[in-house]
Amino acid sequence: MQALIDYASYMPHGYCLFWQPWLVFLFAGSDLLIFLSYSAIPFALLLFLKRRPDVRYRGLVVLFAAFILLCGVAHLVSIVTLWIPVYPLHGLIKLITGIVSAITALVLFWLVPRLVAIPSPEQLQRANEELRNEIAAHQQTLASLREAQRTLEEKVDERTAALVKANDTLAVMTREAVHRSKNLLSLVSSIARQTARDMTDVESFVEAFSGRIIALANAGAALIQGADNQVAALDAVARRQLEPALLTFGDRVRIDGPQVAVGSDAAQQLALVLHELATNAQKHGALRSLPEAEPGEEPREQGRVDIEWRVSGPADDQMLALEWRETDAQKDDSARPSRPAGGFGQVLLDSVVPAMLSGAAERHEIDGGFVYRLTVPVSALAPISPVSISPEQVDRIWSSVWLQGEPSAPA
């Protein structure tokens, strides 16, 4: 240690400069400025490390700070050697500075690949922009998912409400089907009993009863083919019921009338009327089979049937008038078979159906033909008629025909 501070054997560096003031000032001022700068730089580096604890490779920064500070101390000792020749101390400081510098250089080269791998500000900015774009895309996806969730929830609510409504409708329809099946069974039972009253043999009963049941089935088929299985057009009911006659006789059967909606109960009653009229027309009226013309005679003219209906009256009290008109081309009344009187078919036409529909019926023979006219309120044809008739009332109405001669009106 004594050797380091021993300077008696040396002479100051100023002698080498011949103590020229300007030259001494130049050396001393330059070293002082370097010392001050080299002292400030490590302080700035350490202050940076303190404020940025997230900086990687902090040891390298500390090595740079130590290296720079030692360089500054070496320049400070150079100023001292201008007047005091402490050259051993100056050499020791340079040695320490060299060792620190070498360590710093080795560490720096060792860290170069890692330092190169650190993203540049431009790369970081580009990465941040990509991250912002990705975040925006995720936010848009999240918004879309939320919208899809909201839409799905709305659809689920709609489907749930529709399902509840459908279940309610199904329950109503089930109750309605049970009610209508009871009505239909009561109607079939009444038809069977009343048809059997004036029949003398099984074959006649089966033929008449089957025809009336088929008429009810045709009315149901017309309802099923409609847009609403509870409502059918009167034209559809008539054409469905008279389809065999239309196919057989063609233009000899004409159906005409405006569109009128009828419910299932009214459709059944009207189907029975049309069935009875068509059966009578083919057996005894304008559609009956005529004998072949004798040789030399003109071909026999065929009769025709016109079915028409019209609606009249104020909007709140409209009436439907359905007319069945037969025109017989054979003017010889003696050759025309007489229509049966007093049978169930006549009772059905004149009494039962008008009572069921709260209307009235009239029939009369005309010159060379026959006319049947049924007049009923349009309101009685509706799917839900203000005239509600239970199965018991149906049976009572039909039974009263035989017991009292005229059916009683529904209560």
Side-chain angles (χ1 to χ4, degrees):
M1 179 62 68
Q2 184 64 31
L4 293 176
I5 60 175
D6 185 12
Y7 54 86
S9 301
Y10 310 105
M11 62 178 183
H13 188 217
Y15 283 102
C16 297
L17 302 178
F18 297 104
W19 298 109
Q20 296 289 328
W22 67 271
L23 195 56
V24 172
F25 178 78
L26 178 62
F27 272 77
S30 301
D31 286 334
L32 179 61
L33 183 60
I34 293 172
F35 168 72
L36 293 175
S37 299
Y38 280 14
S39 299
I41 290 174
F43 176 78
L45 291 175
L46 295 177
L47 182 62
F48 171 75
L49 288 179
K50 182 179 179 181
R51 295 185 178 182
R52 287 293 302 274
D54 59 322
V55 173
R56 300 173 63 185
Y57 310 116
R58 300 171 65 86
L60 179 63
V61 178
V62 173
L63 284 175
F64 267 103
F67 159 66
I68 294 173
L69 181 61
L70 288 173
C71 288
V73 171
H75 283 277
L76 178 62
V77 175
S78 294
I79 296 174
V80 175
T81 58
L82 287 174
W83 290 276
I84 303 174
V86 285
Y87 295 118
L89 178 61
H90 191 195
L92 178 61
I93 292 175
K94 285 188 174 183
L95 175 63
I96 295 173
T97 303
I99 293 173
V100 174
S101 300
I103 294 174
T104 303
L106 291 175
V107 172
L108 180 61
F109 275 103
W110 178 65
L111 291 177
V112 163
R114 302 183 182 183
L115 295 175
V116 171
I118 297 176
S120 65
E122 182 179 356
Q123 291 175 328
L124 291 176
Q125 183 178 3
R126 186 165 57 251
N128 288 335
E129 185 66 24
E130 292 176 356
L131 286 175
R132 281 193 291 268
N133 293 337
E134 187 173 356
I135 291 173
H138 286 316
Q139 290 176 342
Q140 184 176 2
T141 302
L142 181 60
S144 300
L145 289 175
R146 288 175 177 170
E147 179 65 21
Q149 180 183 8
R150 184 184 63 81
T151 303
L152 181 60
E153 290 175 351
E154 291 179 355
K155 289 184 177 180
V156 169
D157 293 340
E158 291 177 0
R159 296 294 176 85
T160 302
L163 182 59
V164 172
K165 184 177 180 181
N167 288 336
D168 294 341
T169 303
L170 181 59
V172 172
M173 292 179 65
T174 301
R175 291 194 296 270
E176 180 68 14
V178 173
H179 174 71
R180 292 189 181 279
S181 63
K182 291 173 62 179
N183 284 354
L184 185 59
L185 290 174
S186 177
L187 183 61
V188 171
S189 176
S190 297
I191 290 176
R193 288 198 302 271
Q194 304 302 337
T195 302
R197 286 178 182 268
D198 56 351
M199 294 296 171
T200 58
D201 59 88
V202 175
E203 291 183 1
S204 300
F205 167 76
V206 171
E207 180 181 359
F209 180 68
S210 299
R212 287 161 183 160
I213 297 303
I214 291 173
L216 295 178
N218 288 335
L223 289 169
I224 294 174
Q225 291 178 351
D228 184 349
N229 60 8
Q230 298 297 324
V231 181
L234 178 53
D235 182 78
V237 174
R239 292 186 180 278
R240 179 75 182 188
Q241 183 58 49
L242 299 176
E243 183 177 6
L246 291 171
L247 295 175
T248 303
F249 303 106
D251 295 340
R252 294 173 60 190
V253 179
R254 184 179 67 89
I255 301 175
D256 181 50
Q259 288 292 328
V260 178
V262 295
S264 59
D265 293 337
Q268 291 172 358
Q269 303 304 319
L270 295 174
L272 288 173
V273 167
L274 295 173
H275 166 72
E276 295 297 332
L277 291 171
T279 301
N280 289 338
Q282 294 180 60
K283 289 183 177 180
H284 316 289
L287 301 181
R288 71 185 185 278
S289 299
L290 299 177
E292 294 291 337
E294 297 294 335
E297 289 185 354
E298 293 292 333
R300 298 181 184 274
E301 295 186 15
Q302 303 293 327
R304 58 177 296 107
V305 175
D306 294 293
I307 304 99
E308 297 181 351
W309 60 88
R310 295 291 179 263
V311 177
S312 60
D316 58 345
D317 190 23
Q318 290 186 322
M319 300 295 291
L320 172 76
L322 185 147
E323 182 178 277
W324 175 286
R325 179 179 294 271
E326 296 182 23
T327 303
D328 195 341
Q330 304 301 313
K331 302 300 183 182
D332 185 4
D333 293 336
S334 63
R336 184 183 305 119
S338 60
R339 296 175 182 269
F344 176 63
Q346 180 179 344
V347 174
L348 189 69
L349 293 172
D350 297 344
S351 302
V352 175
V353 172
M356 297 287 288
L357 298 179
S358 300
E362 57 177 315
R363 49 156 57 215
H364 53 272
E365 302 285 342
I366 61 173
D367 185 19
F370 165 78
V371 174
Y372 173 83
R373 184 177 292 106
L374 175 65
T375 304
V376 298
V378 173
S379 60
L381 306 177
I384 302 178
S385 173
V387 181
S388 180
I389 304 177
S390 66
E392 294 77 11
Q393 290 173 310
V394 172
D395 194 55
R396 189 173 67 251
I397 288 173
W398 285 22
S399 297
S400 66
V401 174
W402 302 99
L403 297 177
Q404 303 175 10
E406 289 294 334
S408 58

